Amino acid sequence: ADGDTLRHTVDLLLPEGASLSIVDGTFQRGGDTVAVGLDAAPFLGGTPHPDLARLCKSAGRYTTEGAFAMGPGQPTVKITGTDDFRAGFGGLVLHGHTEGEAEGLPGHYVGEVFWGYDELRQCLVSHYLSNMGELMTMEGRWTKDGQLLATSNGLWNGEPMVQRMLMQFDASGLAVGANSHSIVGTGAPYESFRASYRRQQQAKPQ
């Protein structure tokens, strides 16, 4: 970056020889921001992977109730809120928007998650961020019994941490629940999150 100019380059590493430059450009700061609608058509006519199309069946607005624990040995805190899931770009992305409250804690929680399919890893991948400063990516795969199993790893207070989240769905593909277990350092697994989801009734057309 140099002032209001951001240089952007992407090189593709090949099995042999020199890398291949596939992007070389700049971004210039200035003007108003532009909001890109999720209803934009998929680039180059892309089609969603069946695993992602299956997840997109859960799109809708949900009332959420649950609890979370800040860390191992910490008490659980009740949470309430709403989750809005919307498929975008012709079903190539599922975007989730979360808003809620935690019992006994000040402030309003807001989170965003984007699900897509990674052809290289052959799995669903999500990127999550929130106004608590959370920034996390998870790999998701469907289980034989119809759950979505997502995993992540990183650090928690300087200790290695791994997490497994299971999401449950009804016969029509709507979300009904989720629960996460985490391991921090050499500690025992503990339930770090659980929630139930109730799909809100859709407004009837006028």
Side-chain angles (χ1 to χ4, degrees):
D2 182 13
D4 290 333
T5 301
L6 176 67
R7 177 85 182 278
H8 181 217
T9 62
V10 176
D11 292 330
L12 181 64
L13 299 180
L14 303 176
E16 296 180 350
S19 60
L20 175 65
S21 177
I22 58 175
V23 175
D24 188 358
T26 59
F27 293 95
Q28 191 70 33
R29 190 202 313 266
D32 296 329
T33 58
V34 177
V36 178
L38 286 175
D39 56 353
F43 185 61
L44 297 178
T47 57
H49 187 277
D51 284 358
L52 182 58
R54 181 177 176 180
L55 182 59
C56 284
K57 290 180 180 180
S58 65
R61 183 177 177 85
Y62 295 84
T63 299
T64 307
E65 295 182 354
F68 77 96
M70 293 292 290
Q74 298 296 313
T76 57
V77 178
K78 292 182 179 180
I79 56 173
T80 56
T82 58
D83 282 274
D84 287 281
F85 288 95
R86 178 187 172 196
F89 305 143
L92 294 180
V93 170
L94 181 68
H95 169 233
H97 175 78
T98 298
E99 294 195 26
E101 313 290 339
E103 187 176 73
L105 297 178
H108 186 69
Y109 180 86
V110 179
E112 308 286 347
V113 63
F114 294 87
W115 282 96
Y117 189 84
D118 187 330
E119 293 287 353
L120 183 61
R121 284 182 275 184
Q122 294 289 293
C123 68
L124 295 163
V125 174
S126 70
H127 296 279
Y128 187 87
L129 67 156
S130 77
N131 63 346
M132 282 183 64
E134 298 166 297
L135 184 60
M136 176 175 60
T137 183
M138 302 188 83
E139 292 188 358
R141 295 173 175 85
W142 291 103
T143 65
K144 292 180 180 179
D145 62 357
Q147 300 184 82
L148 181 63
L149 192 160
T151 57
S152 65
N153 64 82
L155 294 177
W156 187 87
N157 283 350
E159 290 286 332
M161 180 276 292
V162 293
Q163 182 185 60
R164 181 202 68 181
M165 180 181 74
L166 286 167
M167 293 189 67
Q168 296 84 38
F169 302 83
D170 66 14
S172 62
L174 301 181
V176 294
N179 61 291
S180 294
H181 288 83
S182 300
I183 300 175
V184 178
T186 58
Y190 71 99
E191 187 177 57
S192 51
F193 173 80
R194 67 176 180 271
S196 60
Y197 303 99
R198 186 176 73 254
R199 173 76 176 269
Q200 296 184 8
Q201 292 294 322
Q202 301 298 298
K204 295 181 179 180
Q206 300 294 320

